[in-house]
Structures are given as structure tokens and as C-alpha cells.
Amino acid sequence: MGQLASALVTMILGVMGCAAYFYGSNFLLDKIFPTKSGAAADVARNLRVANNIRPWLFLGPAVLLLTFYLFYPVIDSIRLSFYGRSGEDFVGLANYKWLFSSDEFYESFRNNMLWLIVVPTAATFFGLIIATMTDRIWWGNIAKSLIFMPMAISFVGASVIWKFIYDFRTGGEDQIGLLNALVVFFGGEPQTWLTIPIWNNFFLMVILIWIQTGFAMVILSAALRGIPDETIEAAVLDGANGFQIFYKIMVPQIWGTIAVVWTTITILVLKVFDIVLAMTNAQWGTQVLANQMFSWMFNGGGDFGRGAVIALVIMVLVIPIMVWNIRRANAEMEGR
Amino acid sequence: MADVKLTNVKKIYSNNVEVLKDINLDIKQGEFIVFVGPSGCGKSTLLRMISGLEDISAGTLEIDGVVVNDVPPALRGIAMVFQSYALYPHMTVYDNMAFSLQIAKVSKADIDQQVRKAADMLQLTPYLDRLPKALSGGQRQRVAIGRAIVRRPKVFLFDEPLSNLDAALRVATRMEIANLKDSMPDSTMIYVTHDQVEAMTLADRIVLLSGGDIEQVGSPLDLYEHPANVFVAKFIGSPAMNIVPCRIEQTGAQTLVSLSASASIQTPIVTESSEQAKPAFFGIRPEDLVVVSAEQESLFSGEVSFVESLGEATLLYVKIPGADDMVIAKQAGTLNIKRGDKVYLSAPAEKMHLFDEHEQSYLRKG
Amino acid sequence: MITSSKRTPLTFLVHATVLFLVIIWTIPTAGLFISSIRDKNQLSTSGWWTALSTSEQRLVARAHEPKKQVQEGDRFVIRGNLFEGSAGEVTKFGSSSLRPDEFDVGTVAELKKGETLQVMENGDYAFSSPVEWKGSRGDRIFYTAETPPRFTLENYREVLNAEGLGKSFINSLTVTIPATIIPILVAAFAAYALAWMRFPGRALLVAAVVGLLVVPLQMSLIPLLKTYNLIGEFFGVGSKTYVGIWLAHTGFGLPLAIYLLRNYIVGLPREIIESARVDGASDFDIFRKIVLPLSFPALASFAIFQFLWVWNDLLIAMVFLGNDADHMVLTGQLRELLGSRGGNWEILTASAFITIIIPLCVFFGLQRYLVRGLLAGSVK
Ligand SMILES: Nc1ncnc2c1ncn2[C@@H]1O[C@H](COP(=O)(O)OP(=O)(O)OP(=O)(O)O)[C@@H](O)[C@H]1O
Ligand SMILES: [Mg+2]
């Protein structure tokens, strides 16, 4: 009870503190430069001053937080990658040399590439298929909810769920893992799935696909609804069948959204490490970059330099997507 | 008290497009001014500059003799009614009307009194507790007007307030706006519209804009009877004035122009002798043309290529030899004229217009 | 939507495919839930999909210790019940582990030294011997029983009491709620400024937000951790505080929050905002009284996502809140269990279900806002 109460107080203080900033700063601004009364000329001047200051009151916290939590770390990681374990002695390119001569790096790089190709593609594909089909049936919304549900489950929770599915029992015991039970049912030999090299990566990817398909589906189905009915009706009149309508009329119209979904999942894949950590702890050749970096940074006292180098590799992999996104945003702003 | 004066006002958007070129306009207190002009000519931009929603790139804007270029909208003593009504969708009618007063920290009792008075005036009392989405288009527009009224502004600004309404409602609301003006004779109103009828019926003075310039300012009848140039002549009146290219044959108090090889017309318009033999444009409104039986007294003759019967009037499209555009004649009632018939058209001399080669009007005598 | 394809075999195919996919997508979670409420013995010997059928199990029980024997005539008898109250049906029994199904139920089995054992269908057993029973422990009885499905909340009770999960639950809430509200507040103000206020550098800021959208947050951890340590030392507090993790979640969530909310807010009708400006509202008034109420769907849908992310996060919690028992969040606790109790499925399944119950409630409770908010947001 005591813990609950103190948690409650902490939460209220935290949220109130944030709200108080916005109210307080704007209140102060209105007090210092009053605009509701006074001589017209003063009011006009005050208002102008206030209007020049206010955007920064609104943006202040966001700019500070973005700078501190994202922008500065990017810069600092670049610096750290040239320094040693503790981040104090300059070592030049040593960390880079180490990285490119480390077998583990090649393993995780290869695995990451597999993840990058398989997961976004599969999740987007399933999301699109499901979105299209659920839009046409009366229980579509129920189906969507159920398929979206894994989104609500943490990677660790999902790992428990899937560990349970991949579970293996030796000898003649009954298999309680669903996958092995199925294999046995069809007369096969039960396997320790998570230790089969290369393939175990795919068994891990399945988990992320299972989670992310719901996300792709929700966004794509919103986009599909935005397609003007007339274009589809016109295609029907032109004699197109269901599949032709799907890939010749509908898909091209939501191409932009598909790209956004694909990007979002790609970025997520680069950041994912929980699944690997919880399922295999990177054993049996399932290492990925994010997890490798994590273990270099935090295990055995940590090696900041090597961790930073791996972080930079992840960053470099993301750059094309970043550039593409900024281009898109700029084009959008010019359009308005 | 609430004069609005624009001096050399310009608007240049960031992409260096000069949307308004050099606007000079003097609006007196209590006047009902209507801005008309083709789409994209800058009417809304001009109105929004007066309201303060758009910066003024150059020149000065005075309200009540005070330069207000840098005064924010709320302090200019204006109220604006938007084409899309711009009601706050999450507030009731009452709250919509009370919003500006609440912002200004007016006491609750005063707010209540003013809102109810305005609601009464606009027959909105039964709807005060409704949300905008539960109102018809006409009711929404009245709420928007009510919201302007409660602020007791010096200047009302309307940007095409009726264009989202159907024809019948538009007529009714137009009359309401006219009544509103009568009940507030001291308020200045500036009104933007596409609709000529609105302009003609509501305005004390019309400001006709085109391509960022003022073409002509004047009372509705002034613009109708004395258009300053071909653009104004064609813009005011429906169907538009017939403009036929011609040549000045004889200058003086009674200018003689020749339309094509054959016909020539004597007009009561004064021209200087320097204009001799210059190309010009002869103008005559469709409603001023009458069908006559004899060729001798006619201005034009030609073959009818099209007849439109509107019931109360008939429009004849007549192909005149030597002119590219067809001449339109508007005759009262229904006529027994068919396509292909030859007709003779005449007009009273005092209704004729003559424009020089630069499309500017020559002055008419008397 | 496609009228022509109605009432064709295609429709049937669509129904069947969706049903198939829905089943595949639901089975893992369903399995987890069913397992978590099964008896732990059954859980470890049979798959969860058999939960509803009676299971045949080979079991061992120990008879009562000799001091409970009673003398009946010239024999000493120990009586008891194998199931001790719960239901079940014995089919076979035996007295040695080599031949556990030696005797049919009901028969009186002759054992060594004139001892007999009889086990009835309902589990009643009687050991009888011509001489007095000795020793402190009872003999073992092997039997084959058909136990009906048994569901229990025992696993949950055990987990919540013993494994510190209750505490982590509160920790998770303490992290999640402010870490959901604060970024929304900060992002909404920023999004409004970027959408409707005029100031120099606006376009640059928008581009920066989009650019930061893709920075992998692992990259931030080392520099941030160092700074946190410095700040912690400076103020004489530990570097792992709730405020620290709220701000971290806020910082990492901001780019997406600003991006989504700005897209939505910029789409609000311009005339409404101008009308408020003419009415004398300052930007702060406009934001509070007009923009905030009108953007509710977008705020709600982002809130759902942010809640799910924060609740489900492991990385940031591990780094900024640490792994000590006092501050452990649910995901951390679960991972701990996964490592230390990897074989105890009753613990794992129950804990996993506890961690996902809140997000599932949030999701099902608020999902109708999800689509509405996203519709105007990321789909443009
Ligand atoms: N923000 C802007 N940036 C650049 N050009 C603009 C901008 N806003 C308007 N314009 C241009 O200014 C011109 C005048 O626009 P305005 O809206 O005033 O026209 P209007 O007379 O009100 O037309 P309508 O009758 O269609 O409402 C148009 O050509 C338009 O393209
Ligand atoms: Mg306009």
C-alpha cells in the first residue's frame, strides 16, 4: 500500500510538473507583456513581443529533450568510437579495426541483414493481405482486433509465449510445445528448434512478424479506406477481377503508405534486441547488432568505444531511410 | 468613426508573386463595401490583410485614422465571417458566440446578455444549446454572423458568407444581412462575393478587382451604367455586355464608328480629333438591344444561331457579319423567333458605350 | 467494397483465409492464457491444447506414515485416498516403479510378506499387513489415473506473492503513466507551434524532427548514461531515478509523437484557427480551447502506442532504472524469471500473462480511437 501511495504521488508530481511549466510560462508571458488591457499601442507592442516569444515556450521542452536525448548522443557516439573502453583514451581507428576483424560482427551483420529483409517484407505483406480481406467481411473488425493484439504484448512476453511453442521434451515424453507436438503428430522427429543454425534466426523473426503485422494492417487498412470508391468501381466496369483490382488499382494508390509502414518496421528491426536476448541470449548463431552493442556496453564493465562503433554501424544502415524521410517531408511542405 | 483607409497597399507572397499591386481605397464609416472580381484576383487576400490575418507587404492600412499595419487582428476592432462558417465544432452555439467575450474576460452576466440579444436578433434562441453539427447550413451561417455581432466590432468582414448555401437560402440570408446593416448603421461592412446580385443589392459601393488591381470603385449603378473599361463592362451584368470591335470614322460630340465593312453607328460619345481612324470597341448590353422589323433603324443585323428561352426573358445569339463573338440580345417574355431567322437589332443611343484601343471608356455625353 | 465479387467462391475463400490467419495469430496467446490457469502438474506433462480432455497420467503417491495405522482384527491397516480431495479415476495400480500398472483397480493385490494393497476407483486405498507397520515413511503407491481437467488460479497467487511481481507491477505503472502523458503534452505543444505559429527556423525544425525519427535509441545509451551519472553525482542522488526514465522515454518518443500530431493538427481547418485569432485568443488559448479538444482522436491514438511501448520496454528500463529489486519493472522481472526459472512453465506463463493484461485492456478499451486518429495522422 505504501508503495502504491508513493508511486501515485510520484506520478502526480511528474505530470503536474510538466503541465505547470506550460501554464506557468505562458501565464508569466501574459503577465510581463499584458495584452488584455492598457493603451492600444502598448498592447500591440506587447502582443508582438509575446508572439515572438511564445513559439519558443511551446517548443522549448521538445527542443531540449530532442537535443539531449537524440542529437547530442549521435554526436557523442561518433566521438566515442575513436576512444578506448572507458571513453577517455584516444585510440584512433582501433575500434573499427577490431570490429571488422571480429567474427561475431560478421555473424550479427549477416543476421541483421536477414532480419531486415524478411521481417518488414513479411509483416507488410501479411498486413496488406489481411487489411484488404478484413475490409470485405462483416466480422472484419473482430478479426483485426485479434490480429492487432500481439502489438500489445511486450517482446519479452512474446518471447515467453513463443518459447512455449518451441519447447522441446526429450525421449518419449509428451511434447508440450505446439510445434513439436505437430511435428510428432505428423510422424516427425521433435527438434530443439532454437539451436538449429541459421534456421533459428527465422524462428525468432516469426515472433516479430507476429507482433508487427497488426501495426501494418491498421495503417494500411486506413489507407485502403482512403481510396476513392470510384476508381475501384471503374475498374469493375472495365472488367477487372478481384486480384487485378487489388494489385493494379489498389496497391499503386497506397504505395506511399506501404513505404511508410515498411520503413517504420525496418527501423524497429534495427533496434530490436529484446527478442534475441530473451529467447536465445544470442547463442547458437543468433546474434544481432543491437544485442551485440548492448552486451559490449553493459556486460563486464562495458567497453564504450566498441559499443559506440556498433551503434554507428546501425546508424549508417539507417541513413538512407533518414534521407528519404526528410526528402519526403520537404516535398510535402512545399506542396502546401 | 470607423473609416478604413488603404494607401499603396501591396501583397507579395514568399514566392515573389505580387498578388495585390497597389491598392488605394477610402472607406467611410457606415459604408457597405463589396469586393467583387474573378476567382484568384486577390479579394480574400485584401480582406484578410484588413483583418490582420495576412501581413501587409507594403503601404499602410488605417482604421479610424490609426495605422494598424502591425496591430494584431483581435485589437483592430474587426469581426470576420468565413465562407466555411469556421464554427468551433466542439462548442455549443452559445459557447461559440460567447468565446470572444470569454477571452476578453467580460463578466458572465454581460456575456449572457449580449449572446441572448444577438441570438434573438438572428432567431437562434432555440438552438443555443446545440452543437454546430446539429444545425442546418443557414443556421450555421447565422451563428457565424451572431459570433461577429456580439463582439460589437467597428468593421465587419465577410468572405463569401453565402456561397455554401442553396439558392433560396441565399436570398433569405442576403436580406437578413441587409437588415443587419440597417440595424447597425454605424458599422462599416466589407463583403467579398462572387455573386453579382449580392454585390448589386447589398453594396453602397462596389470595388471591382482584377489581377491584383482595382479596376473601378463606385455605386452599383455607376458601375453598371458607366463602366470604366471593357473588363468592368463585361464583369457587371448578366449576360455580359456585347463588345464589338470597330473603327472610329468621325470624332467630335457625336462619334461615328464603323463596325464592319457595312454598318456604321452614330454614338452620343465625345472623342478628340486625335482619335480619328483608331480601332475601338463598341459596347451595348444585351438587355438594351431591341428587335426591330426594319433594317433602316437597326444597328446590327444577323442570323440567329441560338435561342434560349428562360420564361421571363429570351436570349438571342446573333451572328453578326464581321464580328467574331456572337451578339446577345435579351428580350422580355417569349418570342416567336427560331434559329436561322434573320433579325434586326437596335438600341437607344444613351445606352451605348465606346472604349478606346486600350479598352478604356470614352466619356459619354450627358 | 468490391461489389462484383460478392457471392462468389472468392468470398468464401476470403472468409476461410481470414479465419485461418486469425487462428494462427491468436493461438500463441490463447495457449499462454490456458496454460497459465492449468494445474502445474498437468501443465508440465501435457500440451495446453489437451487442457479440456481428461488426461491419463502415471502418478506416484505415498501412503500415510505407519503411525496412522489402525488394527482391524488381526491385521494392521493404513487407509487413505490417493487424490486427497480432488477428483480423479484410478484405472491401474502397482507397488513397484518397474510395474506401475500391475493390478486392475479394485483387486486385492498380494504383496510380499502377506501384505495386501487394494486401491479403489475413487482413489481409496488400503494397505494391510499381518504385522505392525514400522518406519517413519509410508510406502509408495504407483497408479494410473484419469484426472479431469483442472483449472486453478494457484499459479497467479504464487507468482504475485512470491516472485515480487506485484511490486514490479506498481513500478511499471509508475514508469508508464507519466512516460505516456508527458511526451504527449510536450509533443502537442511543439506540434502546434510547428503547424500554426510563424517563427524563423520552422522548416528546419520540422526536418530535424523527421531526421531524428530514425535514430536508433541504443546509440543514445552510452552518452546518456555518462551524463546521467554526472548529474546524479552533482545532485547527490543515484543516477537511476523515475524522473530520469520518464524523461528518457519522453525524449525517445518525441520525434514520432511530434510527427504524428503535427500531421493531424496541420490538417485542422485553417479558418477555425483564424477565427479564434480574430476573436482575440492568444496561441495558448487557441491551443487549449480549440486545438486540444479537436485533436483528441490523434492524442488518444498516440497515447495508446506510447503506453504500449513504454509498458513493454525492456531496454530503457534496464539502462535507466536498473535491475535492483526495488526498481525492477515487469518486463525486467519476466526476463529474470525466464533466465532463472526457465523450466517452470506455471511461473512463466502466469507472469507473462500478468505483464500483458494491462496493455491488452488498454488496447481493447481504446482501440476505436486508434484507427480514427491514425487515419488523419500517418496516412496522408
Ligand atoms: N499563401 C500563399 N502563397 C502564395 N500565393 C498565394 C497564397 N495565398 C493565395 N495566393 C495567391 O493569391 C492570389 C489571390 O488569392 P485570393 O484567395 O485572395 O483570391 P480570391 O480573389 O479570394 O479568389 P476566390 O474568389 O477564388 O476566393 C491567388 O492567385 C492565389 O494563388
Ligand atoms: Mg476567396
Side-chain angles (χ1 to χ4, degrees):
Chain A
M1 264 305 75
Q3 194 205 354
L4 196 63
S6 80
L8 219 62
V9 170
T10 324
M11 281 190 257
I12 292 173
L13 280 182
V15 172
M16 296 290 270
C18 177
Y21 160 78
F22 286 110
Y23 267 85
S25 63
N26 279 284
F27 178 80
L28 269 183
L29 188 69
D30 288 337
K31 268 268 136 11
I32 299 172
F33 300 103
T35 54
K36 302 275 185 226
S37 58
D42 284 350
V43 168
R45 200 200 56 231
N46 283 347
L47 210 74
R48 236 181 5 262
V49 177
N51 279 345
N52 283 336
I53 297 178
R54 209 183 303 270
W56 301 106
L57 293 185
F58 279 31
L59 280 166
V63 169
L64 283 181
L65 286 166
L66 287 175
T67 312
F68 180 66
Y69 282 95
L70 293 168
F71 188 67
Y72 153 70
V74 170
I75 305 297
D76 202 43
S77 293
I78 296 175
R79 187 187 66 82
L80 274 176
S81 69
F82 297 104
Y83 284 74
R85 297 182 67 83
S86 59
E88 272 150 21
D89 42 328
F90 185 79
V91 297
L93 292 176
N95 290 321
Y96 292 86
K97 283 203 193 104
W98 160 80
L99 186 74
F100 291 111
S101 60
S102 124
D103 285 343
E104 201 189 8
F105 170 70
Y106 288 106
E107 175 194 318
S108 42
F109 193 81
R110 178 203 66 199
N111 289 344
N112 250 110
M113 283 299 150
L114 283 180
W115 280 78
L116 279 180
I117 293 165
V118 175
V119 176
T121 315
T124 313
F125 175 76
F126 282 120
L128 185 59
I129 299 286
I130 296 171
T132 320
M133 292 199 292
T134 48
D135 270 349
R136 298 201 220 160
I137 54 181
W138 57 268
W139 51 285
N141 275 339
I142 303 171
K144 270 189 216 157
S145 296
L146 288 173
I147 288 186
F148 191 79
M149 189 172 63
M151 266 298 279
I153 298 174
S154 67
F155 292 141
V156 187
S159 301
V160 173
I161 293 179
W162 284 86
K163 253 200 158 162
F164 200 51
I165 286 185
Y166 296 141
D167 190 69
F168 169 77
R169 293 285 154 121
T170 45
E173 277 187 76
D174 278 352
Q175 296 293 340
I176 67 166
L178 187 61
L179 191 56
N180 273 324
L182 282 175
V183 167
V184 170
F185 181 80
F186 289 110
E189 271 297 301
Q191 304 282 335
T192 48
W193 302 106
L194 294 179
T195 60
I196 310 172
I198 305 288
W199 290 107
N200 50 7
N201 283 302
F202 290 95
F203 293 122
L204 300 188
M205 290 178 208
V206 165
I207 304 174
L208 196 56
I209 296 171
W210 177 70
I211 293 176
Q212 288 301 320
T213 297
F215 171 77
M217 175 200 69
V218 166
I219 293 185
L220 290 174
S221 107
L224 283 175
R225 280 201 210 134
I227 296 181
D229 276 350
E230 297 85 59
T231 60
I232 291 164
E233 281 157 10
V236 170
L237 293 180
D238 286 345
N241 66 29
F243 292 108
Q244 288 169 329
I245 290 174
F246 176 68
Y247 69 83
K248 290 209 173 127
I249 309 291
M250 291 161 77
V251 171
Q253 292 197 58
I254 57 168
W255 200 239
T257 314
I258 293 178
V260 169
V261 168
W262 199 85
T263 316
T264 316
I265 300 178
T266 304
I267 294 167
L268 187 90
V269 167
L270 280 176
K271 298 180 185 174
V272 150
F273 86 114
D274 326 35
I275 292 180
V276 174
L277 187 64
M279 291 292 283
T280 60
N281 204 0
Q283 290 164 282
W284 308 300
T286 55
Q287 184 67 291
V288 291
L289 287 175
N291 191 55
Q292 193 188 0
M293 179 188 81
F294 186 78
S295 45
W296 274 106
M297 278 189 308
F298 297 103
N299 295 347
D303 185 327
F304 285 176
R306 293 185 174 181
V309 167
I310 304 174
L312 282 182
V313 172
I314 298 179
M315 183 77 186
V316 168
L317 288 178
V318 174
I319 281 179
I321 303 173
M322 190 156 93
V323 170
W324 180 73
N325 263 290
I326 293 180
R327 282 244 182 95
R328 237 173 47 92
N330 281 344
E332 218 169 68
M333 280 211 288
E334 270 163 26
R336 66 172 88 254
Chain B
M1 160 189 110
D3 299 349
V4 177
K5 187 165 182 214
L6 295 102
T7 318
N8 302 332
V9 166
K10 284 187 186 159
K11 178 71 194 180
I12 299 166
Y13 276 114
S14 49
N15 50 2
N16 277 328
V17 180
E18 198 173 35
V19 172
L20 289 172
K21 289 181 182 136
D22 188 16
I23 304 291
N24 287 289
L25 193 59
D26 212 340
I27 301 170
K28 293 272 165 293
Q29 180 190 356
E31 259 192 316
F32 199 120
I33 295 286
V34 174
F35 293 169
V36 289
S39 188
C41 69
K43 306 180 294 288
S44 300
T45 306
L46 186 55
L47 195 73
R48 290 162 55 80
M49 282 161 79
I50 297 176
S51 76
L53 291 171
E54 209 74 68
D55 289 336
I56 297 173
S57 312
T60 55
L61 167 69
E62 290 167 49
I63 297 181
D64 266 355
V66 180
V67 177
V68 292
N69 282 32
D70 294 330
V71 176
L75 302 176
R76 292 188 183 191
I78 51 119
M80 187 149 172
V81 176
F82 293 86
Q83 176 179 359
S84 63
Y85 321 134
L87 300 182
Y88 310 125
H90 58 298
M91 297 184 190
T92 61
V93 169
Y94 185 98
D95 289 335
N96 260 287
M97 296 211 272
F99 184 75
S100 62
L101 300 178
Q102 282 164 356
I103 293 285
K105 303 237 155 64
V106 176
S107 78
K108 277 226 163 58
D110 286 351
I111 294 181
D112 194 63
Q113 192 215 333
Q114 293 205 47
V115 169
R116 287 190 189 282
K117 197 172 121 203
D120 211 37
M121 203 160 131
L122 296 163
Q123 294 123 44
L124 284 171
T125 314
Y127 310 112
L128 281 178
D129 291 329
R130 291 211 197 158
L131 288 177
K133 63 168 180 266
L135 297 178
S136 73
Q139 288 161 346
R140 282 181 213 183
Q141 190 52 271
R142 292 213 297 274
V143 176
I145 294 173
R147 204 166 61 175
I149 292 177
V150 292
R151 303 192 58 210
R152 301 208 203 135
K154 295 185 275 190
V155 183
F156 281 91
L157 306 175
F158 296 89
D159 193 354
E160 305 194 26
L162 306 185
S163 53
N164 279 353
L165 303 180
D166 67 41
L169 209 51
R170 206 181 289 185
V171 174
T173 317
R174 192 174 77 211
M175 279 155 72
E176 252 171 73
I177 291 178
N179 286 337
L180 185 73
K181 178 75 194 73
D182 285 344
S183 65
M184 291 186 291
D186 288 342
S187 310
T188 311
M189 296 197 176
I190 305 178
Y191 188 107
V192 169
T193 182
H194 266 127
D195 186 319
Q196 278 195 38
V197 185
E198 270 170 44
M200 299 299 279
T201 52
L202 290 172
D204 293 329
R205 279 197 297 160
I206 292 179
V207 176
L208 207 163
L209 294 158
S210 154
D213 272 325
I214 294 185
E215 295 288 343
Q216 191 172 2
V217 183
S219 71
L221 282 185
D222 209 23
L223 263 65
Y224 181 79
E225 285 171 358
H226 306 287
N229 53 39
V230 171
F231 181 83
V232 179
K234 291 189 93 156
F235 194 84
I236 303 282
S238 168
M241 182 188 283
N242 298 303
I243 302 290
V244 185
C246 60
R247 215 174 80 99
I248 296 178
E249 297 294 343
Q250 188 187 331
T251 58
Q254 297 274 325
T255 306
L256 189 72
V257 297
S258 62
L259 290 188
S260 51
S262 59
S264 64
I265 300 171
Q266 184 97 36
T267 63
I269 293 168
V270 190
T271 46
E272 300 295 328
S273 54
S274 57
E275 308 289 317
Q276 180 68 37
K278 282 193 177 162
F281 296 95
F282 173 77
I284 186 75
R285 292 196 181 278
E287 54 270 36
D288 293 334
L289 283 173
V290 284
V291 176
V292 291
S293 51
E295 186 168 5
Q296 294 77 2
E297 41 197 283
S298 71
L299 297 174
F300 315 113
S301 63
E303 193 175 290
V304 175
S305 48
F306 217 63
V307 182
E308 282 181 350
S309 290
L310 305 175
E312 102 272 8
T314 305
L315 299 183
L316 302 176
Y317 291 75
V318 183
K319 182 90 190 91
I320 306 280
D324 291 340
D325 296 331
M326 276 187 271
V327 167
I328 303 172
K330 185 178 183 182
Q331 305 295 303
T334 48
L335 292 178
N336 191 17
I337 295 177
K338 297 187 303 295
R339 175 189 294 207
D341 291 353
K342 188 163 171 100
V343 290
Y344 302 101
L345 298 170
S346 171
E350 70 273 15
K351 301 283 189 188
M352 295 176 183
H353 303 266
L354 192 61
F355 305 94
D356 66 16
E357 54 188 326
H358 308 296
E359 303 196 345
Q360 299 302 311
S361 177
Y362 289 114
L363 281 184
R364 195 190 309 163
K365 194 180 72 180
Chain C
M1 204 192 294
I2 298 169
T3 38
S4 75
S5 59
K6 271 190 184 139
R7 285 183 243 294
T8 62
L10 199 63
T11 318
F12 174 75
L13 193 71
V14 167
H15 278 277
T17 319
V18 175
L19 188 66
F20 175 73
L21 289 170
V22 166
I23 289 175
I24 293 201
W25 250 258
T26 334
I27 273 184
T29 322
L32 179 82
F33 174 67
I34 294 171
S35 303
S36 73
I37 55 170
R38 289 183 78 201
D39 182 77
K40 68 175 161 196
N41 292 325
Q42 296 186 345
L43 177 58
S44 57
T45 54
S46 62
W48 56 267
W49 51 94
T50 63
L52 277 182
S53 59
T54 25
S55 56
E56 195 181 75
Q57 286 174 292
R58 304 229 170 127
L59 297 166
V60 203
R62 216 168 252 289
H64 286 307
E65 61 269 40
K67 67 179 186 223
K68 290 219 175 133
Q69 60 187 289
V70 289
Q71 193 169 4
E72 290 176 8
D74 58 348
R75 297 185 76 86
F76 297 87
V77 185
I78 300 173
R79 286 180 196 281
N81 187 293
L82 292 172
F83 299 121
E84 290 180 333
S86 60
E89 203 173 290
V90 180
T91 51
K92 297 261 172 56
F93 68 94
S95 66
S96 103
S97 59
L98 295 175
R99 306 184 60 188
D101 46 7
E102 192 176 359
F103 309 106
D104 281 333
V105 73
T107 52
V108 178
E110 300 283 344
L111 307 175
K112 58 194 183 238
K113 293 185 272 175
E115 292 168 6
T116 61
L117 171 62
Q118 187 183 22
V119 178
M120 308 305 288
E121 218 176 59
N122 66 358
D124 284 345
Y125 62 88
F127 257 122
S128 119
S129 162
V131 293
E132 200 172 336
W133 294 89
K134 296 243 166 47
S136 60
R137 300 212 298 166
D139 277 335
R140 288 186 298 176
I141 303 173
F142 298 88
Y143 62 102
T144 308
E146 292 188 340
T147 36
R150 197 130 53 93
F151 294 107
T152 168
L153 292 177
E154 193 53 39
N155 304 333
Y156 285 94
R157 201 166 306 139
E158 189 177 335
V159 163
L160 279 178
N161 290 340
E163 306 286 350
L165 222 56
K167 194 174 212 173
S168 316
F169 195 87
I170 295 179
N171 287 342
S172 268
L173 276 180
T174 316
V175 169
T176 309
I177 293 176
T180 304
I181 299 175
I182 295 174
I184 290 185
L185 216 55
V186 172
F189 273 98
Y192 173 79
L194 292 178
W196 290 106
M197 292 169 100
R198 277 186 238 171
F199 57 91
R202 187 170 79 162
L204 194 72
L205 272 178
V206 174
V209 166
V210 175
L212 292 176
L213 211 50
V214 293
V215 172
L217 64 89
Q218 283 98 335
M219 178 158 223
S220 309
L221 299 180
I222 305 172
L224 285 179
L225 210 55
K226 289 203 302 186
T227 321
Y228 267 47
N229 286 333
L230 280 182
I231 296 176
E233 263 168 44
F234 183 79
F235 286 107
V237 293
S239 58
K240 316 216 154 166
T241 58
Y242 280 118
V243 177
I245 191 172
W246 293 338
L247 291 181
H249 274 302
T250 305
F252 296 137
L254 267 184
L256 190 70
I258 296 177
Y259 179 72
L260 286 181
L261 293 179
R262 180 181 163 276
N263 266 353
Y264 190 92
I265 290 175
V266 104
L268 293 176
R270 173 194 171 117
E271 297 194 337
I272 288 187
I273 286 165
E274 290 182 336
S275 172
R277 207 159 272 167
V278 173
D279 275 348
S282 70
D283 281 302
F284 190 55
D285 294 323
I286 297 177
F287 177 78
R288 262 187 323 150
K289 294 186 175 155
I290 313 280
V291 171
L292 219 46
L294 292 184
S295 329
F296 185 75
L299 297 175
S301 75
F302 179 74
I304 297 172
F305 273 123
Q306 177 76 3
F307 185 95
L308 295 181
W309 283 324
V310 175
W311 183 272
N312 290 336
D313 155 77
L314 174 63
L315 178 61
I316 300 177
M318 271 166 74
V319 174
F320 291 104
L321 208 52
N323 276 334
D324 60 299
D326 272 353
H327 286 128
M328 186 86 93
V329 293
L330 272 181
T331 41
Q333 189 83 44
L334 190 59
R335 196 192 83 86
E336 203 92 319
L337 289 176
L338 211 54
S340 65
R341 310 284 293 267
N344 294 27
W345 283 112
E346 77 279 3
I347 304 274
L348 281 180
T349 54
S351 343
F353 205 76
I354 288 172
T355 65
I356 69 180
I357 192 100
I358 291 270
L360 281 185
C361 290
V362 167
F363 163 66
F364 280 113
L366 297 178
Q367 60 167 329
R368 66 203 166 95
Y369 296 111
L370 207 61
V371 175
R372 261 205 285 159
L374 282 175
L375 209 62
S378 41
V379 183
K380 270 223 137 174

